[in-house]
Amino acid sequence: MKKGVYYSFIFVMLFSFFAFGDSKDIGTISEELLMKRAEAWNNILSEDYSYSDFYNEISSVATAELLVEDLETFSYLKENPTGMERVKSLELLPEKIEKQKNKAIVKGKIIWNMEGYEGTEVVESHYQIALEKYNRNWYIAELEPIE
C-alpha cells in the first residue's frame, strides 16, 4: 500500500513538472529576457559597439518580428544618433500568463527605472509580451504596449 501511494506521488510530481514546469517561471523568464534586451540597448551608447555585437546580444533574447525591428532600429540609431535614456533596472508585474506548448503570452505592467540627462525617471506601462521557445530557450517575439 505504501509503495502504491509513493509511486502515485512521484507520478503526480513528475507530471506536474513536465506539464507545468515553465508556467510558473514564465514571468521570471520574461523579466530576465527584458533586462538582457535592455542591456543590449544600453550598449548602443558606447561608440565602439558594432552591429555584429548588437546582433549577437539581441538574437540571444529576441526572435521573429521583434528581432527584425530591433536590428532595423539599431541601424537607424547608429546612422542618426539621438538622445537615449539608459535602463538602470526594470520590474515586470505579470497580470495574466497564457502558455501553450512552446508559446506564451504575458500581459502585465513593466516598471522601468531610466537614467537620462535630467536624472532618474520611473516609467510604468502595460505590455503584452509574446514568447516563443526554441531548443529549450525562450525568446521574446513581440513586445506591444497595451492602452
Side-chain angles (χ1 to χ4, degrees):
M1 178 75 173
K2 287 183 182 180
K3 278 187 182 180
V5 171
Y6 177 74
Y7 288 127
S8 295
F9 177 73
I10 294 215
F11 174 76
V12 168
M13 292 303 290
L14 287 174
F15 176 77
S16 296
F17 176 76
F18 288 112
F20 306 108
D22 284 332
S23 62
K24 66 180 178 183
D25 298 323
I26 292 294
T28 303
I29 290 167
S30 298
E31 185 174 89
E32 290 171 359
L33 290 172
L34 288 168
M35 196 59 218
K36 287 180 184 178
R37 181 173 177 265
E39 289 169 4
W41 277 109
N42 285 345
N43 288 333
I44 195 174
L45 300 171
S46 172
E47 286 183 32
D48 61 342
Y49 191 62
S50 70
Y51 180 88
S52 63
D53 293 331
F54 181 73
Y55 178 84
N56 290 334
E57 280 191 68
I58 207 70
S59 64
S60 72
V61 296
T63 190
E65 185 180 318
L66 184 62
L67 177 60
V68 172
E69 289 173 7
D70 282 351
L71 294 173
E72 288 173 353
T73 303
F74 177 87
S75 294
Y76 177 82
L77 290 176
K78 275 301 197 179
E79 292 174 15
N80 305 288
T82 184
M84 195 170 118
E85 294 182 331
R86 177 180 300 276
V87 177
K88 291 182 69 170
S89 65
L90 63 86
E91 180 180 7
L92 172 62
L93 303 173
E95 295 165 358
K96 183 176 182 183
I97 297 175
E98 299 173 14
K99 183 177 178 291
Q100 294 179 346
K101 296 186 183 183
N102 293 329
K103 295 188 181 218
I105 301 289
V106 178
K107 293 180 181 178
K109 182 178 5 176
I110 301 176
I111 302 170
W112 306 88
N113 291 304
M114 312 290 285
E115 182 179 55
Y117 296 112
E118 297 180 20
T120 302
E121 177 183 11
V122 176
V123 178
E124 296 182 16
S125 301
H126 283 84
Y127 287 89
Q128 176 172 298
I129 306 161
L131 301 174
E132 294 181 6
K133 189 175 187 179
Y134 300 106
N135 299 326
R136 298 183 182 174
N137 294 315
W138 286 99
Y139 298 88
I140 304 171
E142 292 179 24
L143 180 63
E144 298 293 327
I146 299 173
E147 295 290 325

